Amino acid sequence: MIIALQDGISRRLVDSLYVEAMLLADEARGYFDAAGRADRDDLPPLLRVGFSCESLRVTTRLMHVIAWLLVRRALASGEIGAEQASAPERKLGHVPESDPAAIEALPRPAQQIIAATEDLYARVLRLDSGIRRTATPESPVLSLMGQLERAFGSSRLAGALGGGQMIHHAAPAA
């Protein structure tokens, strides 16, 4: 049974991506902490720097993906609401793109891990972008009230509605 979260993404997809991200994180850690050290030491100095930079990008990609997936899981379990989950700081973090020419010069295992994290990050970025595009539109009532406020001014509208208070409406979700 597929259960869709409030943002339209199925819990099964989130869980599957989370497992994939954690396995990839373990694989990357194992490579860059062990076998990758020997591979890195065999490279010329400039390529060693590139190798280190790419290992940091791999880590950053995975951290951003895992953090994003944890937010989706928290949303699914009711730990946070849709408004909290859609906050700008919960958007998938940006990771600078890698230089394909630099990656080609790296050992094959490093290339495979880099490619796998780039693919995972791109898929999650599409999901994150899709959530933001299909965000709930502003309430029609709030939209109409905003138009009335702009046309007649807040104080005149409040007086016409019988209250002496200013009418405030929520800003549309980003």
PDB file of all heavy atoms in Angstrom, residues 140-158 160-161 167 169:
ATOM      1  N   PRO A 140      -8.481  31.355  -1.603  1.00  0.00           N
ATOM      2  CA  PRO A 140      -9.239  32.332  -2.392  1.00  0.00           C
ATOM      3  C   PRO A 140      -9.791  33.469  -1.526  1.00  0.00           C
ATOM      4  O   PRO A 140      -9.844  34.612  -1.945  1.00  0.00           O
ATOM      5  CB  PRO A 140     -10.367  31.506  -3.011  1.00  0.00           C
ATOM      6  CG  PRO A 140      -9.877  30.106  -2.997  1.00  0.00           C
ATOM      7  CD  PRO A 140      -8.970  29.994  -1.812  1.00  0.00           C
ATOM      8  N   VAL A 141     -10.197  33.144  -0.304  1.00  0.00           N
ATOM      9  CA  VAL A 141     -10.728  34.177   0.591  1.00  0.00           C
ATOM     10  C   VAL A 141      -9.633  35.185   0.934  1.00  0.00           C
ATOM     11  O   VAL A 141      -9.845  36.401   0.881  1.00  0.00           O
ATOM     12  CB  VAL A 141     -11.314  33.540   1.874  1.00  0.00           C
ATOM     13  CG1 VAL A 141     -11.684  34.598   2.893  1.00  0.00           C
ATOM     14  CG2 VAL A 141     -12.504  32.661   1.535  1.00  0.00           C
ATOM     15  N   LEU A 142      -8.424  34.679   1.283  1.00  0.00           N
ATOM     16  CA  LEU A 142      -7.328  35.587   1.612  1.00  0.00           C
ATOM     17  C   LEU A 142      -6.923  36.410   0.397  1.00  0.00           C
ATOM     18  O   LEU A 142      -6.586  37.590   0.521  1.00  0.00           O
ATOM     19  CB  LEU A 142      -6.134  34.801   2.151  1.00  0.00           C
ATOM     20  CG  LEU A 142      -6.340  34.145   3.522  1.00  0.00           C
ATOM     21  CD1 LEU A 142      -5.112  33.329   3.903  1.00  0.00           C
ATOM     22  CD2 LEU A 142      -6.661  35.174   4.575  1.00  0.00           C
ATOM     23  N   SER A 143      -6.972  35.806  -0.762  1.00  0.00           N
ATOM     24  CA  SER A 143      -6.636  36.527  -1.982  1.00  0.00           C
ATOM     25  C   SER A 143      -7.623  37.668  -2.220  1.00  0.00           C
ATOM     26  O   SER A 143      -7.228  38.800  -2.532  1.00  0.00           O
ATOM     27  CB  SER A 143      -6.642  35.558  -3.168  1.00  0.00           C
ATOM     28  OG  SER A 143      -6.402  36.246  -4.366  1.00  0.00           O
ATOM     29  N   LEU A 144      -8.916  37.374  -2.062  1.00  0.00           N
ATOM     30  CA  LEU A 144      -9.944  38.402  -2.240  1.00  0.00           C
ATOM     31  C   LEU A 144      -9.796  39.511  -1.201  1.00  0.00           C
ATOM     32  O   LEU A 144      -9.899  40.698  -1.527  1.00  0.00           O
ATOM     33  CB  LEU A 144     -11.339  37.779  -2.157  1.00  0.00           C
ATOM     34  CG  LEU A 144     -12.525  38.730  -2.327  1.00  0.00           C
ATOM     35  CD1 LEU A 144     -12.439  39.454  -3.672  1.00  0.00           C
ATOM     36  CD2 LEU A 144     -13.825  37.981  -2.215  1.00  0.00           C
ATOM     37  N   MET A 145      -9.523  39.140   0.040  1.00  0.00           N
ATOM     38  CA  MET A 145      -9.342  40.152   1.093  1.00  0.00           C
ATOM     39  C   MET A 145      -8.131  41.029   0.785  1.00  0.00           C
ATOM     40  O   MET A 145      -8.170  42.243   0.998  1.00  0.00           O
ATOM     41  CB  MET A 145      -9.217  39.491   2.458  1.00  0.00           C
ATOM     42  CG  MET A 145     -10.547  38.908   2.931  1.00  0.00           C
ATOM     43  SD  MET A 145     -10.497  38.182   4.564  1.00  0.00           S
ATOM     44  CE  MET A 145     -10.316  39.637   5.554  1.00  0.00           C
ATOM     45  N   GLY A 146      -7.084  40.428   0.272  1.00  0.00           N
ATOM     46  CA  GLY A 146      -5.911  41.209  -0.105  1.00  0.00           C
ATOM     47  C   GLY A 146      -6.240  42.203  -1.209  1.00  0.00           C
ATOM     48  O   GLY A 146      -5.783  43.361  -1.180  1.00  0.00           O
ATOM     49  N   GLN A 147      -7.030  41.768  -2.182  1.00  0.00           N
ATOM     50  CA  GLN A 147      -7.431  42.669  -3.264  1.00  0.00           C
ATOM     51  C   GLN A 147      -8.284  43.815  -2.729  1.00  0.00           C
ATOM     52  O   GLN A 147      -8.119  44.972  -3.130  1.00  0.00           O
ATOM     53  CB  GLN A 147      -8.214  41.902  -4.334  1.00  0.00           C
ATOM     54  CG  GLN A 147      -7.376  40.936  -5.136  1.00  0.00           C
ATOM     55  CD  GLN A 147      -8.228  40.087  -6.074  1.00  0.00           C
ATOM     56  OE1 GLN A 147      -9.421  40.302  -6.233  1.00  0.00           O
ATOM     57  NE2 GLN A 147      -7.590  39.091  -6.696  1.00  0.00           N
ATOM     58  N   LEU A 148      -9.196  43.509  -1.805  1.00  0.00           N
ATOM     59  CA  LEU A 148     -10.032  44.551  -1.206  1.00  0.00           C
ATOM     60  C   LEU A 148      -9.196  45.542  -0.400  1.00  0.00           C
ATOM     61  O   LEU A 148      -9.412  46.750  -0.456  1.00  0.00           O
ATOM     62  CB  LEU A 148     -11.115  43.928  -0.318  1.00  0.00           C
ATOM     63  CG  LEU A 148     -12.220  43.172  -1.058  1.00  0.00           C
ATOM     64  CD1 LEU A 148     -13.085  42.396  -0.067  1.00  0.00           C
ATOM     65  CD2 LEU A 148     -13.051  44.117  -1.898  1.00  0.00           C
ATOM     66  N   GLU A 149      -8.223  45.013   0.362  1.00  0.00           N
ATOM     67  CA  GLU A 149      -7.347  45.896   1.128  1.00  0.00           C
ATOM     68  C   GLU A 149      -6.579  46.840   0.213  1.00  0.00           C
ATOM     69  O   GLU A 149      -6.432  48.024   0.501  1.00  0.00           O
ATOM     70  CB  GLU A 149      -6.360  45.075   1.962  1.00  0.00           C
ATOM     71  CG  GLU A 149      -6.967  44.455   3.180  1.00  0.00           C
ATOM     72  CD  GLU A 149      -5.962  43.600   3.946  1.00  0.00           C
ATOM     73  OE1 GLU A 149      -4.810  43.440   3.502  1.00  0.00           O
ATOM     74  OE2 GLU A 149      -6.341  43.091   5.006  1.00  0.00           O
ATOM     75  N   ARG A 150      -6.093  46.300  -0.892  1.00  0.00           N
ATOM     76  CA  ARG A 150      -5.338  47.149  -1.828  1.00  0.00           C
ATOM     77  C   ARG A 150      -6.247  48.185  -2.484  1.00  0.00           C
ATOM     78  O   ARG A 150      -5.844  49.313  -2.734  1.00  0.00           O
ATOM     79  CB  ARG A 150      -4.633  46.283  -2.873  1.00  0.00           C
ATOM     80  CG  ARG A 150      -3.425  45.544  -2.318  1.00  0.00           C
ATOM     81  CD  ARG A 150      -2.623  44.836  -3.402  1.00  0.00           C
ATOM     82  NE  ARG A 150      -3.346  43.753  -4.066  1.00  0.00           N
ATOM     83  CZ  ARG A 150      -3.482  42.519  -3.572  1.00  0.00           C
ATOM     84  NH1 ARG A 150      -2.967  42.219  -2.401  1.00  0.00           N
ATOM     85  NH2 ARG A 150      -4.130  41.596  -4.252  1.00  0.00           N
ATOM     86  N   ALA A 151      -7.482  47.805  -2.751  1.00  0.00           N
ATOM     87  CA  ALA A 151      -8.406  48.723  -3.420  1.00  0.00           C
ATOM     88  C   ALA A 151      -8.948  49.799  -2.485  1.00  0.00           C
ATOM     89  O   ALA A 151      -9.067  50.962  -2.870  1.00  0.00           O
ATOM     90  CB  ALA A 151      -9.556  47.941  -4.039  1.00  0.00           C
ATOM     91  N   PHE A 152      -9.267  49.417  -1.250  1.00  0.00           N
ATOM     92  CA  PHE A 152      -9.939  50.354  -0.347  1.00  0.00           C
ATOM     93  C   PHE A 152      -9.092  50.783   0.841  1.00  0.00           C
ATOM     94  O   PHE A 152      -9.504  51.641   1.608  1.00  0.00           O
ATOM     95  CB  PHE A 152     -11.247  49.737   0.175  1.00  0.00           C
ATOM     96  CG  PHE A 152     -12.225  49.444  -0.911  1.00  0.00           C
ATOM     97  CD1 PHE A 152     -12.475  48.147  -1.305  1.00  0.00           C
ATOM     98  CD2 PHE A 152     -12.883  50.477  -1.566  1.00  0.00           C
ATOM     99  CE1 PHE A 152     -13.380  47.868  -2.319  1.00  0.00           C
ATOM    100  CE2 PHE A 152     -13.790  50.201  -2.588  1.00  0.00           C
ATOM    101  CZ  PHE A 152     -14.032  48.898  -2.966  1.00  0.00           C
ATOM    102  N   GLY A 153      -7.955  50.169   1.025  1.00  0.00           N
ATOM    103  CA  GLY A 153      -7.135  50.482   2.195  1.00  0.00           C
ATOM    104  C   GLY A 153      -7.574  49.652   3.385  1.00  0.00           C
ATOM    105  O   GLY A 153      -8.760  49.406   3.579  1.00  0.00           O
ATOM    106  N   SER A 154      -6.629  49.247   4.180  1.00  0.00           N
ATOM    107  CA  SER A 154      -6.902  48.360   5.310  1.00  0.00           C
ATOM    108  C   SER A 154      -7.853  48.973   6.323  1.00  0.00           C
ATOM    109  O   SER A 154      -8.773  48.322   6.802  1.00  0.00           O
ATOM    110  CB  SER A 154      -5.601  47.995   6.023  1.00  0.00           C
ATOM    111  OG  SER A 154      -4.798  47.244   5.165  1.00  0.00           O
ATOM    112  N   SER A 155      -7.654  50.238   6.674  1.00  0.00           N
ATOM    113  CA  SER A 155      -8.476  50.833   7.728  1.00  0.00           C
ATOM    114  C   SER A 155      -9.919  51.003   7.273  1.00  0.00           C
ATOM    115  O   SER A 155     -10.844  50.789   8.039  1.00  0.00           O
ATOM    116  CB  SER A 155      -7.884  52.159   8.192  1.00  0.00           C
ATOM    117  OG  SER A 155      -7.766  53.045   7.104  1.00  0.00           O
ATOM    118  N   ARG A 156     -10.146  51.399   6.044  1.00  0.00           N
ATOM    119  CA  ARG A 156     -11.530  51.554   5.550  1.00  0.00           C
ATOM    120  C   ARG A 156     -12.225  50.206   5.481  1.00  0.00           C
ATOM    121  O   ARG A 156     -13.398  50.094   5.794  1.00  0.00           O
ATOM    122  CB  ARG A 156     -11.525  52.213   4.174  1.00  0.00           C
ATOM    123  CG  ARG A 156     -11.218  53.715   4.263  1.00  0.00           C
ATOM    124  CD  ARG A 156     -11.306  54.383   2.926  1.00  0.00           C
ATOM    125  NE  ARG A 156     -12.670  54.272   2.373  1.00  0.00           N
ATOM    126  CZ  ARG A 156     -12.953  54.457   1.105  1.00  0.00           C
ATOM    127  NH1 ARG A 156     -12.014  54.761   0.236  1.00  0.00           N
ATOM    128  NH2 ARG A 156     -14.191  54.354   0.667  1.00  0.00           N
ATOM    129  N   LEU A 157     -11.471  49.164   5.069  1.00  0.00           N
ATOM    130  CA  LEU A 157     -12.064  47.832   4.973  1.00  0.00           C
ATOM    131  C   LEU A 157     -12.413  47.316   6.363  1.00  0.00           C
ATOM    132  O   LEU A 157     -13.489  46.769   6.572  1.00  0.00           O
ATOM    133  CB  LEU A 157     -11.116  46.859   4.261  1.00  0.00           C
ATOM    134  CG  LEU A 157     -11.632  45.435   4.046  1.00  0.00           C
ATOM    135  CD1 LEU A 157     -12.915  45.458   3.226  1.00  0.00           C
ATOM    136  CD2 LEU A 157     -10.591  44.597   3.362  1.00  0.00           C
ATOM    137  N   ALA A 158     -11.546  47.513   7.320  1.00  0.00           N
ATOM    138  CA  ALA A 158     -11.808  47.063   8.683  1.00  0.00           C
ATOM    139  C   ALA A 158     -13.026  47.774   9.243  1.00  0.00           C
ATOM    140  O   ALA A 158     -13.878  47.165   9.897  1.00  0.00           O
ATOM    141  CB  ALA A 158     -10.586  47.306   9.562  1.00  0.00           C
ATOM    142  N   ALA A 160     -15.513  49.025   7.534  1.00  0.00           N
ATOM    143  CA  ALA A 160     -16.690  48.554   6.811  1.00  0.00           C
ATOM    144  C   ALA A 160     -17.152  47.193   7.327  1.00  0.00           C
ATOM    145  O   ALA A 160     -18.336  46.875   7.298  1.00  0.00           O
ATOM    146  CB  ALA A 160     -16.400  48.472   5.317  1.00  0.00           C
ATOM    147  N   LEU A 161     -16.196  46.388   7.838  1.00  0.00           N
ATOM    148  CA  LEU A 161     -16.547  45.070   8.351  1.00  0.00           C
ATOM    149  C   LEU A 161     -16.977  45.119   9.813  1.00  0.00           C
ATOM    150  O   LEU A 161     -17.268  44.097  10.409  1.00  0.00           O
ATOM    151  CB  LEU A 161     -15.369  44.099   8.186  1.00  0.00           C
ATOM    152  CG  LEU A 161     -15.009  43.749   6.748  1.00  0.00           C
ATOM    153  CD1 LEU A 161     -13.755  42.905   6.694  1.00  0.00           C
ATOM    154  CD2 LEU A 161     -16.164  43.036   6.063  1.00  0.00           C
ATOM    155  N   ILE A 167      -7.058  44.317   9.205  1.00  0.00           N
ATOM    156  CA  ILE A 167      -7.180  42.949   8.710  1.00  0.00           C
ATOM    157  C   ILE A 167      -5.829  42.544   8.143  1.00  0.00           C
ATOM    158  O   ILE A 167      -5.241  43.247   7.332  1.00  0.00           O
ATOM    159  CB  ILE A 167      -8.260  42.839   7.622  1.00  0.00           C
ATOM    160  CG1 ILE A 167      -9.620  43.165   8.226  1.00  0.00           C
ATOM    161  CG2 ILE A 167      -8.257  41.466   6.990  1.00  0.00           C
ATOM    162  CD1 ILE A 167     -10.736  43.194   7.218  1.00  0.00           C
ATOM    163  N   HIS A 169      -3.615  39.361   6.375  1.00  0.00           N
ATOM    164  CA  HIS A 169      -3.746  38.062   5.700  1.00  0.00           C
ATOM    165  C   HIS A 169      -2.381  37.452   5.572  1.00  0.00           C
ATOM    166  O   HIS A 169      -1.366  38.122   5.556  1.00  0.00           O
ATOM    167  CB  HIS A 169      -4.460  38.190   4.346  1.00  0.00           C
ATOM    168  CG  HIS A 169      -3.737  39.043   3.349  1.00  0.00           C
ATOM    169  ND1 HIS A 169      -2.776  38.527   2.543  1.00  0.00           N
ATOM    170  CD2 HIS A 169      -3.838  40.353   3.064  1.00  0.00           C
ATOM    171  CE1 HIS A 169      -2.305  39.510   1.766  1.00  0.00           C
ATOM    172  NE2 HIS A 169      -2.923  40.613   2.075  1.00  0.00           N
TER     173      HIS A 169
END
